[in-house]
């Protein structure tokens, strides 16, 4: 038989599609043709496969080899088809048995010496293979742990082409050296746990109101804007937010891991992301790094890597306008669509957004005796960089001033640490999960205004109070909806069944950076106020 057939997976965003790979050896001058909309990176596969086959001690057919990838209408790119192509050719040549690979999915990039290199996206590709009914996937050994998290499909890990050939022939596999993974835990400086496992909420002294804002943001999945002069502790506060969030649920964990797999940042020794990710891209990072993109293969950026976690834009006004504008799509839809000339990719991007900003370009415009010399116009321009539509989607806005020395001293030992606050957040999230079970929402921050008003209204006194402020123009209609969501989170944190007037007042204060009751949320009754 001169026809070999196997399968591979092509990825569009995080969704994979199984692709048939057929190899035909026909008469004609020695040549290899690859058809089925391959791009340049995939076309290079021809040379890699040929070299790898020869260097693995096998024979490359000295005739015309045609490899077709179907469906032919689907554009394909990347190097993950190498293994499938090489083995389809060897099967067509009769060098390996054709049957075992016919229904298997084969993934991996070949080095010229035949080593099988790691490729990005093995986790979502394996998911797609399992969903398409495939029973077996053959992957580079270094990607095997991530493929292994998918249920219902058996994973065959191989180090090299000769290893794969030996397995198919039922021979003893060669003793090849291990291949480098794409990413290891060490070189992932952003990888949540390492960065913030040592950060405790108790490190933040003073700032009772700002601390509460962070707690509410964590409890209800609310977006947060912190504004204040340099050194006020904005970065400190934001970095401690992910530590307050509970572990990812299994489904979310798989979603996040799939995105990280495509980005090639999933460590080989920790294939499942179980903690909410924390991404804090620098404002000088490229658009592709933040939003996602790339010329040939579209890769997710920080916005998608922060899926189900926290995206922190420190010094937000310093970010490029189109980065800030690009936030609108994920904030509205929870996903981001990146279009290129021939294709587009959609990645999930559902995160808690934290923005931090100085009050003005020089950062000194705060307090009574402000030394700021920025002009009004400069301040205005600086503020306007984070546009209305983005600001509008922020639930909590808080002005932060530097702590005074005596505040730091007085409080030693008295502030709540991460574990205490996180347990309150977990309890509040449990209440929300129960309330919203059977709906697409999990936390208050996700529930649309109309649904909230119709199904989970706040107490009439609270609603009437908010209505007055709306009528007086103190808050916009959208702002009022955000306040209702916040009121629910406040109630959930306090363990109250339904938001009353007090909760709505707190929500209003959270939204507009007004003083908050000191006793909240742990003690009743609501008493003195703190700035
Ligand atoms: N509330 C606070 N409690 C303890 N240390 C603080 C506080 N605010 C600021 N600091 C100290 O100041 C440094 C700068 O804080 P940072 O969070 O970077 O401020 P910002 O981001 O507002 O400029 C921190 O590393 C910390 O040492
Ligand atoms: Mg900072």
């Amino acid at each position: 038989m001169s026809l070999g057939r196997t399968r591979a997976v092509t990825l569009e965003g995080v969704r994979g599609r199984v692709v048939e790979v057929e190899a035909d050896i026909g008469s004609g001058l020695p040549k290899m043709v690859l058809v089925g909309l391959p791009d340049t990176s995939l076309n290079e596969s021809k040379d890699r496969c040929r070299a790898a086959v020869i260097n693995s001690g096998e024979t490359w057919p000295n005739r015309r080899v045609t490899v077709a990838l179907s469906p032919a209408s689907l554009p394909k790119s990347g190097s993950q088809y190498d293994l499938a192509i090489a083995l389809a050719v060897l099967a067509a040549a009769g060098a390996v048995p054709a049957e075992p690979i016919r229904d298997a999915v084969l993934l991996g990039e070949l080095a010229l010496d035949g080593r099988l290199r790691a490729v990005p996206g093995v986790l979502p590709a394996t998911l797609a293979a399992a969903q398409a009914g495939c029973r077996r996937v053959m992957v580079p050994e270094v990607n095997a742990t991530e493929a292994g998290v998918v249920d219902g499909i058996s994973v065959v890990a191989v180090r090299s082409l000769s290893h794969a050939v030996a397995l198919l022939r039922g021979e003893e596999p060669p003793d090849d050296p291990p291949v480098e993974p794409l990413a290891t835990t060490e070189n992932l400086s952003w990888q949540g746990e390492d960065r913030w496992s040592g950060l405790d909420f108790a490190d933040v002294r003073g700032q009772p109101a700002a601390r509460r804002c962070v707690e509410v943001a964590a409890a209800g999945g609310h977006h947060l804007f912190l504004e204040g002069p340099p050194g006020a502790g904005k970065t400190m506060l934001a970095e401690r937010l992910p530590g307050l969030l509970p572990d990812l649920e299994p489904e979310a964990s798989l979603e996040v891991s799939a995105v990280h797999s495509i980005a090639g940042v999933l460590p080989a020794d920790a294939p499942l992301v179980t903690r909410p990710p924390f991404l804090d891209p620098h404002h000088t990072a490229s658009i592709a790094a933040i939003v996602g993109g790339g010329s040939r293969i579209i890769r997710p950026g920080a916005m998608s890597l922060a899926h189900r976690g926290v995206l922190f834009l420190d010094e937000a006004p310093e970010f490029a306008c189109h980065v800030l504008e690009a936030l609108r799509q994920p904030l509205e839809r929870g996903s981001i669509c990146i279009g290129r000339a021939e294709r587009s990719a959609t990645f999930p991007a559902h995160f808690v957004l934290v923005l931090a900003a100085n009050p003005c370009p020089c950062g000194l415009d705060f307090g009574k005796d402000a030394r700021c010399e920025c002009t009004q116009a400069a301040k205005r321009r600086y503020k306007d960089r984070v546009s209305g539509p983005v600001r509008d989607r922020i639930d909590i806005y808080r002005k932060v001033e530097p702590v005074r020395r005596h505040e730091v001293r007085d409080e030693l030992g008295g502030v709540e640490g991460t574990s205490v606050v996180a347990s309150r957040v977990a309890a509040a999230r449990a209440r929300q999960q129960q309330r919203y079970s059977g709906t697409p929402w999990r936390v208050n921050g996700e529930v649309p205004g109309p649904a909230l008003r119709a199904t989970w209204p706040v107490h009439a006194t609270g609603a009437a109070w908010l209505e007055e402020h709306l009528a007086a123009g103190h808050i916009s209609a959208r702002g009022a909806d955000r306040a209702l969501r916040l009121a629910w989170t406040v109630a959930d944190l306090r363990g109250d069944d339904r938001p009353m007037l007090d909760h709505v007042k707190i929500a209003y204060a959270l939204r507009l950076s007004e003083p908050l009751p000191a006793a909240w949320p742990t003690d009743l009754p609501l008493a003195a106020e703190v700035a």
Side-chain angles (χ1 to χ4, degrees), residues 331-349:
L331 291 184
E332 279 164 39
R333 294 196 226 154
S335 65
I336 188 157
C337 178
I338 300 155
R340 286 291 174 271
E342 281 175 18
R343 71 193 101 211
S344 67
T346 303
F347 296 107

Side-chain angles (χ1 to χ4, degrees), residues 468-476:
E468 276 170 35
H469 282 269
L470 187 61
H474 299 154
I475 193 166
S476 68

